[in-house]
Amino acid sequence: MLCCMPPVARAETILQPFAIVAHGVSRRFGDVEAVRDVALQVDAGSFVALIGPSGCGKTTLLRMLAGVDQPESGRVEYLDARGPIAAAVALRGISFCFQEPRLLPWRDVVGNVELPLELDGVPIGERRERAMAAIRRMGLDDAATRRPHQLSGGMRMRAAMARAIVTRPRLMLLDEPFGALDDVTRQELDDELHQLWVEDRFTAVLVTHSITEAVFLSTRAVVFSPRPARILLERTIELAAHDAAVRVSDEFNAYVRVLSLALQRGIRESRA
């Protein structure tokens, strides 16, 4: 389970989160229109969940937010308290977590976790210390010297999460990271991801097919239409607590119902 370092020690080194704004972005691949004129604002320190049918363009939008794909029209802007941030600067503060852990099979857990620091030229002593701290936070102390094939699916994803937080990101982009896991493990990792966000307050954008996951994790949920992705509904999420009981509460189920109805309505309209 999640093992936390003292918040004061981390606060000295973690940069403030930044906001990200998509100004009417569109993207087409040949004859396929993936994203159409999406205007989306993600406030600094918020947690936004993107929900929609499979293949609707959510991942394409996430890739444009990450700067690894460029919109054909519109633009993506990054901002902090002082104003706009140059893309080259902002991208150094982004971590990306995929559905597959994408661990290097020839490296052990600590070697995988410290890889982004190694690529960034961080001295070996510092990167090993930071990697081990991230591994402890994800409850993988006993697995630090294991290779990926020696880990369960949940442990591999914890290692991927440790690699994502080791850089102390200002923005975390998550593309269905727990979608391949069983429900029990997925809920455990949702709990741990929420705790990481509470402690570090990075800005987060999560692509998910799970409405319950979106409600549990996000401060705002955005429902998209079938391809091309267009925003159907944005809803602020305010839960009294984030524990096992809240998942079966009336307030939780009310949010799930609103988002589910919007998603179903969008699917019906696309087929009409």
Side-chain angles (χ1 to χ4, degrees), residues 162-241:
R163 183 181 58 195
I165 64 173
V166 76
T167 59
R168 300 163 181 158
R170 303 174 72 183
L171 171 65
M172 180 90 75
L173 301 176
L174 304 114
D175 189 6
E176 194 73 20
F178 311 141
L181 303 176
D182 64 87
D183 286 344
V184 172
T185 304
R186 183 171 188 158
Q187 287 191 13
E188 288 178 353
L189 282 165
D190 281 344
D191 292 342
E192 296 182 17
L193 174 57
H194 178 261
Q195 188 63 27
L196 288 171
W197 174 74
V198 167
E199 293 172 358
D200 292 354
R201 278 300 173 179
F202 46 77
T203 306
V205 182
L206 167 73
V207 165
T208 180
H209 292 102
S210 170
I211 293 175
T212 56
E213 182 174 66
V215 171
F216 183 80
L217 285 171
S218 71
T219 58
R220 190 165 103 255
V222 184
V223 179
F224 286 89
S225 67
R227 191 176 65 217
R230 293 169 291 110
I231 294 177
L232 299 176
L233 176 74
E234 296 189 53
R235 179 55 58 96
T236 299
I237 307 293
E238 296 177 333
L239 297 176

Side-chain angles (χ1 to χ4, degrees), residues 25-29 33-35 50 55-71 175 207 227 229:
V25 296
S26 299
R27 185 71 169 94
R28 180 184 293 272
F29 299 93
E33 187 181 13
V35 177
L50 311 182
C56 78
K58 302 184 302 297
T59 294
T60 297
L61 176 60
L62 198 71
R63 287 172 57 83
M64 289 190 286
L65 297 181
V68 298
D69 195 7
Q70 298 300 316
D175 189 6
V207 165
R227 191 176 65 217

Side-chain angles (χ1 to χ4, degrees), residues 69-142:
D69 195 7
Q70 298 300 316
E72 290 179 289
S73 62
R75 62 189 177 91
V76 174
E77 183 179 27
Y78 309 96
L79 306 102
D80 63 15
R82 295 169 295 181
I85 310 170
V89 174
L91 296 181
R92 292 178 61 85
I94 296 176
S95 282
F96 211 120
C97 199
F98 304 92
Q99 183 171 355
E100 306 83 18
R102 300 192 181 184
L103 302 175
L104 300 178
W106 59 87
R107 285 193 174 216
D108 59 16
V109 169
V110 68
N112 271 285
V113 172
E114 69 180 11
L115 179 60
L117 301 179
E118 181 180 339
L119 295 175
D120 205 31
V122 176
I124 185 169
E126 180 185 348
R127 70 178 186 245
R128 181 57 52 95
E129 180 181 355
R130 287 170 59 178
M132 288 305 302
I135 288 167
R136 285 194 296 272
R137 293 187 76 192
M138 295 309 303
L140 288 175
D141 308 52
D142 296 336

Side-chain angles (χ1 to χ4, degrees), residues 16-20 42-47 79-81 170 201-203:
Q16 292 299 307
F18 54 72
I20 183 168
V42 180
D43 294 334
S46 66
F47 198 125
L79 306 102
D80 63 15
R170 303 174 72 183
R201 278 300 173 179
F202 46 77
T203 306

